[in-house]
Amino acid sequence: MKLRNINRGLVLGGVLALGVVCYTAYDNNQFKTSKPEIEQTMRDYIADLTSANVGSSDKLKSQLTDFVNKHYADYTISDNEYASSKSGLLEEINQAEVAAQGGDITSAEYDIKEMSINKSGADGAKVIMIYNVCYDVSKGDPTFLTTNGINTMTSGNYTNSDNYEPSKSSYKAIFSYEYAEFYLLRTSDGWKIATSSDYGYGEDYNFDDNNSDSVADESKAESEIVPDSSAEKSDSEGADSVE
């Protein structure tokens, strides 16, 4: 009797172990098939984030609010106290003094340099990105949204030009994000961002209107131009337009 009970326990244990292995293999395979969708979700995210920062300050708040509502999922639990969530970003946008910034972002270009996608939990994904953004600014120091929340440009700290006047001079603001981290959740509406953050970025300003250099180099993988009123394809191969 004891032998039969032991054998039955071994069989049940083996069946359970086999079930776990089969489920894990199935789950991993399902995640692999989701990677193209996650990648496209992140490309759309960066394109829309860049585009949402372009335009007159009186429309900026509504643009940024629409962007967050579109790309973020309601999520309140996070081990990362520095990460931004949907509710936190909406609160920052609501409190930001975007209407009094005295200047607008007139167009923008972004370049996604690297992206890694890994499974995180049962229905989650972790994405690490390296990307650059170059904003064309009409004057002043506009407020803009990043993966970590609302930020304000500080052009006056980055020029020695005697001809630079913050209230009049136009310039290019170049930001290099070397480590942006995102946690995504699979929802009924597709993959949405639960939290986003970036850990340090390079900040530079170009005050020479005749200099056409941007964030991309000769070997860039992707480039998007986002003008104020419409989007045009860049000269780089493989570039798509963003409306």
Side-chain angles (χ1 to χ4, degrees):
M1 182 67 69
K2 289 183 178 180
L3 181 60
R4 275 187 287 186
N5 288 339
I6 292 173
N7 288 341
R8 183 181 300 172
L10 290 174
V11 171
L12 291 175
V15 170
L16 179 61
L18 180 61
V20 171
V21 170
C22 291
Y23 174 79
T24 301
Y26 170 80
D27 193 40
N28 288 334
N29 184 62
Q30 287 294 100
F31 182 75
K32 287 181 181 179
T33 63
S34 298
K35 277 192 172 183
E37 181 184 354
I38 296 172
E39 179 181 347
Q40 189 58 52
T41 296
M42 294 310 304
R43 292 188 181 280
D44 292 343
Y45 171 92
I46 296 297
D48 289 348
L49 173 61
T50 306
S51 179
N53 283 316
V54 176
S56 58
S57 57
D58 60 331
K59 298 179 180 179
L60 196 59
K61 221 172 233 191
S62 62
Q63 289 177 187
L64 297 179
T65 299
D66 290 344
F67 163 79
V68 172
N69 285 326
K70 175 182 177 181
H71 286 279
Y72 284 80
D74 293 320
Y75 186 74
T76 57
I77 301 174
S78 176
D79 294 331
N80 184 354
E81 61 179 317
Y82 301 106
S84 296
S85 63
K86 180 179 180 178
S87 59
L89 289 173
L90 290 176
E91 183 177 357
E92 284 194 46
I93 293 168
N94 186 55
Q95 294 176 351
E97 296 295 332
V98 296
Q101 60 193 16
D104 298 323
I105 297 173
T106 57
S107 65
E109 178 183 2
Y110 71 84
D111 176 24
I112 298 175
K113 293 185 173 295
E114 293 183 20
M115 184 191 310
S116 67
I117 302 171
N118 293 287
K119 185 174 172 54
S120 177
D123 289 305
K126 178 181 179 180
V127 177
I128 304 297
M129 294 183 65
I130 299 174
Y131 69 99
N132 295 347
V133 181
C134 177
Y135 291 114
D136 288 306
V137 181
S138 60
K139 61 182 179 179
D141 285 320
T143 295
F144 64 108
L145 183 66
T146 73
T147 59
N148 248 13
I150 291 291
N151 205 345
T152 302
M153 296 184 188
T154 57
S155 61
N157 297 334
Y158 288 83
T159 177
N160 294 319
S161 173
D162 294 333
N163 298 323
Y164 172 67
E165 295 182 48
S167 62
K168 298 180 180 179
S169 299
S170 61
Y171 59 89
K172 291 182 182 291
I174 305 166
F175 299 91
S176 304
Y177 298 92
E178 296 300 326
Y179 190 95
E181 182 179 87
F182 305 85
Y183 282 92
L184 283 75
L185 298 174
R186 191 200 307 268
T187 73
S188 58
D189 295 325
W191 288 91
K192 300 290 184 179
I193 295 171
T195 62
S196 59
S197 56
D198 60 72
Y199 298 92
Y201 60 87
E203 184 177 2
D204 195 14
Y205 295 87
N206 187 331
F207 304 93
D208 183 358
D209 292 338
N210 296 319
N211 192 330
S212 61
D213 291 343
S214 66
V215 297
D217 55 28
E218 295 179 357
S219 62
K220 68 181 178 181
E222 177 180 356
S223 176
E224 303 284 347
I225 306 294
V226 186
D228 191 352
S229 58
S230 64
E232 301 176 358
K233 183 176 293 186
S234 73
D235 295 332
S236 301
E237 183 178 357
D240 299 322
S241 62
V242 177
E243 298 295 340

